[in-house]
Amino acid sequence: MLRLVDDIYIGSDNLDEAYAVLGTIRDAIRLLELDTNDSKTVVIEASKDVEPFWPVEIRRSLERYKEYAKADVSDFVHTLDEVLSVSNLRSDEAIIKYALRKIDDLKIWQFHWNSLEPFLIRCCISFPHSWDYVAQMVAWRHLNDGVDVALWRRAIEKSLIQHVRSGHDFEVVWALWLARQLEIPLAKALFSEIFDRCGPFSMLLALDVHKVAKMEEKLPIDKILEKVGDKPLLGPNWVFSFEADRQFGLKLKTKNLQGHEFFKQLYDNNVSFYDADFDLEKDQDIKGGTANAIKKTSSYDDLSEPEEPDDDDF
């Protein structure tokens, strides 16, 4: 068995064995209330397992735009459309994320932002697993040259409406993070719904947006207290309860500390799980475009650079 980024390949001697292994995997992950994605899970013969050539093609195409030329604008838009087409054809959002990573590495947006911005909006709406890369790129651009905040407010709200109702915390967290960076307030109904349907990290980001964007709406205290329950630190939202009390003034400390010496030590030692004072400009030297916007957090979310094939390989 081997893993390539988020793909796992399992070898078998024959088809019967392959299907038996697949069944075993499904039984195992159901214990974690998970299941395989049938659209991305296939059994194929080894002779047909050909490594895709799209990483090399995308990289070669994008490298053409490292230097600005006005005549390249329409070609650049076509290249972005091709990336979307390949991703749709293969039902693989990793292709989108790979292209975004290369655009970031090559600093292409310094010259092509007007063409790139609609592409980024399409990514976060139609390919929501790319929200983390999109959010970081937009925040970087805003810090250096500014973005159309009204446009991104509509994109953020559209995405939140879609994902808050489904409880998709990954997408919600990154949309809220960008709202925080752009100081975009949330609509009252949408803000309240986050505390109904989302998990602790989404709720925590919502509190931060409320503070940074200076929202006029009051916090839905009754709803929050109902969500965390009578024992806030013993439930699934304990991180939210801890930080909401420490950093956002929700006055849960008395409940938190009753009978919990461990949490008293966390308070007394000023332990924090969330950086409410995060400053993008201080976090990395990105003024003037000297660093990448997309901050690599692990080896999992990045694609290894494909080797350039030699002519002798063909």
Side-chain angles (χ1 to χ4, degrees):
M1 183 175 70
L2 62 89
R3 194 194 81 181
L4 175 62
V5 192
D6 59 349
D7 291 328
I8 297 175
Y9 297 85
I10 302 175
S12 302
D13 290 331
N14 53 63
L15 287 177
D16 289 340
E17 182 181 328
Y19 283 111
V21 170
L22 180 57
T24 300
I25 292 173
R26 284 174 170 153
D27 290 342
I29 65 176
R30 283 196 188 103
L31 298 176
L32 303 174
E33 298 183 7
L34 300 173
D35 203 350
T36 56
N37 185 335
D38 289 337
S39 67
K40 297 182 178 180
T41 305
V42 294
V43 175
I44 57 176
E45 295 181 20
S47 61
K48 297 179 181 178
D49 184 15
V50 180
E51 186 66 21
F53 197 64
W54 60 259
V56 176
E57 292 178 332
I58 289 175
R59 177 162 54 83
R60 285 176 175 174
S61 296
L62 291 174
E63 283 177 345
R64 296 167 47 200
Y65 308 105
K66 287 190 295 185
E67 303 295 333
Y68 178 73
K70 188 174 182 179
D72 287 340
V73 173
S74 60
D75 288 343
F76 179 62
V77 172
H78 176 72
T79 297
L80 297 179
D81 286 340
E82 284 294 308
V83 170
L84 295 174
S85 177
V86 173
S87 182
N88 276 315
L89 182 64
R90 300 180 67 90
S91 299
D92 189 354
E93 294 191 29
I95 296 171
I96 298 289
K97 299 192 74 168
Y98 176 80
L100 292 175
R101 171 74 74 177
K102 299 315 299 179
I103 289 170
D104 185 32
D105 289 343
L106 297 168
K107 304 295 185 296
I108 291 173
W109 52 10
Q110 294 184 18
F111 312 116
H112 293 288
W113 180 256
N114 289 338
S115 301
L116 181 62
E117 193 169 36
F119 173 77
L120 294 178
I121 291 176
R122 290 179 69 183
C123 288
C124 69
I125 299 300
S126 301
F127 302 90
H129 287 172
S130 67
W131 239 126
D132 52 342
Y133 283 14
V134 171
Q136 292 175 79
M137 294 173 78
V138 175
W140 181 97
R141 173 73 183 191
H142 181 64
L143 182 62
N144 282 272
D145 299 292
V147 298
D148 185 340
V149 175
L151 175 66
W152 280 101
R153 179 173 184 169
R154 294 196 297 273
I156 289 170
E157 288 182 346
K158 181 176 179 63
S159 179
L160 286 175
I161 289 171
Q162 176 183 353
H163 294 291
V164 166
R165 292 172 180 172
S166 303
H168 294 161
D169 282 86
F170 173 84
E171 292 84 355
V172 172
V173 162
W174 278 105
L176 290 174
W177 183 85
L178 183 58
R180 178 193 187 277
Q181 300 307 314
L182 303 185
E183 298 183 8
I184 295 174
L186 303 178
K188 181 178 180 180
L190 184 58
F191 179 70
S192 179
E193 193 171 8
I194 291 172
F195 297 96
D196 271 335
R197 298 179 178 271
C198 295
F201 297 106
S202 296
M203 295 191 295
L204 197 54
L205 261 296
L207 289 185
D208 207 358
V209 172
H210 183 274
K211 176 182 177 181
V212 172
K214 299 180 175 61
M215 292 174 54
E216 296 180 357
E217 290 79 5
K218 293 182 179 180
L219 293 174
I221 299 297
D222 292 341
K223 185 172 295 188
I224 292 173
L225 291 176
E226 181 181 355
K227 187 72 175 281
V228 301
D230 294 333
K231 298 180 179 179
L233 289 179
L234 296 182
N237 297 308
W238 72 269
V239 172
F240 169 78
S241 302
F242 182 81
E243 296 294 7
D245 183 294
R246 287 187 67 259
Q247 302 195 54
F248 298 100
L250 262 68
K251 308 300 181 185
L252 297 174
K253 187 173 182 179
T254 302
K255 287 185 177 181
N256 283 351
L257 296 183
Q258 287 179 347
H260 298 288
E261 179 62 26
F262 172 72
F263 293 107
K264 183 178 185 304
Q265 292 182 26
L266 293 181
Y267 272 101
D268 292 345
N269 288 280
N270 200 31
V271 174
S272 181
F273 300 94
Y274 179 76
D275 185 3
D277 298 321
F278 173 79
D279 188 318
L280 184 63
E281 185 174 356
K282 294 179 181 178
D283 182 60
Q284 52 184 332
D285 182 20
I286 61 177
K287 269 292 185 182
T290 59
N292 284 6
I294 298 173
K295 190 172 183 180
K296 185 176 178 181
T297 56
S298 71
S299 60
Y300 179 79
D301 65 353
D302 193 16
L303 280 166
S304 300
E305 181 68 20
E307 295 183 2
E308 188 75 30
D310 295 326
D311 293 338
D312 296 339
D313 292 338
F314 297 96

